[in-house]
Amino acid sequence: QVRLVESGGGMVQAGGSLRLSCVASSRIYSSTAMGWFRQTPGKEREFVASIRWSTGRTYYAESVKGRFTISKGSGASTVYLEMNDLKSEDTAIYYCGEDRYASGYSLQASEYEYWGQGTQVTVSS
């Protein structure tokens, strides 16, 4: 059973930055896509960004393009989400997910087999 552990959330003022980390308990395979999603109360989990592990190809939601960057860590089991110019609407619980057999852009939460417990990001205006 794969475990994903997120960290790095917190409270920041609008315009500030945070870097989220996600560490997997086992090696991330080349067939995998890792993704970040976010969720607010009463809403569905929303795609933020994903990265194909074999190619490094990245995809972003329009709302975060130019502000957020997803990247692989130097090890074989870590993925980051660098968040800059944060806005109040970025406030959410952020989840890391693993799409073990990625075949597309991995934009849908239903494509992911494993999830972390989430980390809260709060942006004050």
Side-chain angles (χ1 to χ4, degrees), residues 37 44-47 106-113 115:
F37 284 70
E44 292 187 356
R45 201 163 287 193
E46 173 192 31
F47 172 77
S106 300
L107 306 182
Q108 303 297 323
S110 59
E111 298 179 79
Y112 290 75
E113 291 83 16
W115 294 96

Side-chain angles (χ1 to χ4, degrees), residues 19-96:
R19 188 176 80 159
L20 305 183
S21 301
C22 172
V23 180
S25 59
S26 59
R27 183 175 67 90
I28 298 173
Y29 293 94
S30 60
S31 61
T32 293
M34 298 297 293
W36 287 97
F37 284 70
R38 63 189 182 188
Q39 192 169 21
T40 54
K43 293 192 175 180
E44 292 187 356
R45 201 163 287 193
E46 173 192 31
F47 172 77
V48 174
S50 65
I51 183 167
R52 293 293 298 266
W53 214 248
S54 58
T55 63
R57 182 82 182 265
T58 58
Y59 305 94
Y60 296 93
E62 285 296 324
S63 60
V64 307
K65 270 183 184 177
R67 299 189 298 123
F68 290 12
T69 303
I70 187 171
S71 62
K72 296 192 285 187
S74 57
S77 59
T78 304
V79 62
Y80 298 110
L81 184 69
E82 183 78 31
M83 305 186 296
N84 297 314
D85 189 24
L86 282 160
K87 306 176 187 300
S88 57
E89 52 263 41
D90 295 318
T91 295
I93 299 175
Y94 282 72
Y95 295 92
C96 170

